[in-house]
Amino acid sequence: MMKLNMTSRQQRRLWRHIGSIENFWETLAELEPGVIQRLAAIATERRWEVIFLTKRPRRQAHGAGPDQRWLASKGFALPSVYVVQGSRGRIAHALDVDIVVDDRPENCLDVVVDSKARAILVWREDESSCPRRRSASASAS
């Protein structure tokens, strides 16, 4: 995955452009083909309640509809999607969530700090570029 170093202005411009593309969210491909359908099957088999948390810029307030349609098109019938702006940890705490899976280290940190939920980070880049938790001995110095 290529990481872009964009200024706030460039990010706002990019989000405006994305917002102008009809059905943009629904046209995205899965990063791992078939993973949504596999997750749906496991959740059904094990009777898990799955809630998808996602974030959109405030000015792109499309609600959960595009994400629900995308998940359904990939095989997850009737997905529960919640569009968030704040800490995923506070949401995990409020909903008494057991596990949060996320692809952003800062979201996983929010979960660990603000809730009792476990956080699982999905990291697609080189392992050496993953932010590391400081060890107890390093923190003590």
Side-chain angles (χ1 to χ4, degrees):
M1 177 188 318
M2 183 174 67
K3 187 169 186 168
L4 301 175
N5 292 319
M6 296 175 27
T7 65
S8 295
R9 182 177 182 208
Q10 290 170 323
Q11 288 178 22
R12 285 190 303 272
R13 193 168 169 211
L14 175 62
W15 282 115
R16 268 195 311 274
H17 178 69
I18 287 171
S20 72
I21 300 171
E22 187 172 342
N23 299 324
F24 172 80
W25 301 108
E26 291 94 328
T27 64
L28 298 176
E30 290 177 276
L31 291 175
E32 295 180 28
V35 73
I36 300 298
Q37 189 170 23
R38 288 193 308 271
L39 175 61
I42 292 169
T44 299
E45 174 189 315
R46 298 184 182 177
R47 297 182 181 171
W48 290 346
E49 183 174 353
V50 177
I51 302 170
F52 294 90
L53 304 178
T54 189
K55 183 176 183 177
R56 298 281 178 268
R58 291 188 193 280
R59 62 196 160 280
Q60 293 242 331
H62 297 296
D67 297 277
Q68 288 171 317
R69 287 188 296 275
W70 183 84
L71 288 161
S73 76
K74 303 300 180 217
F76 203 109
L78 303 173
S80 296
V81 177
Y82 185 67
V83 180
V84 302
Q85 292 299 326
S87 165
R88 282 168 170 73
R90 290 189 199 134
I91 294 164
H93 175 74
L95 298 175
D96 197 24
V97 170
D98 295 315
I99 297 172
V100 174
V101 179
D102 206 294
D103 62 349
R104 298 187 61 165
E106 60 272 23
N107 292 338
C108 289
L109 179 61
D110 282 348
V111 169
V112 171
V113 170
D114 293 337
S115 76
K116 294 178 185 174
R118 293 179 186 232
I120 298 174
L121 175 64
V122 176
W123 191 254
R124 298 190 182 290
E125 297 177 36
D126 184 80
E127 188 177 330
S128 64
S129 68
C130 183
R132 300 276 184 221
R133 181 177 74 161
R134 289 177 29 175
S135 68
S137 59
S139 320
S141 43

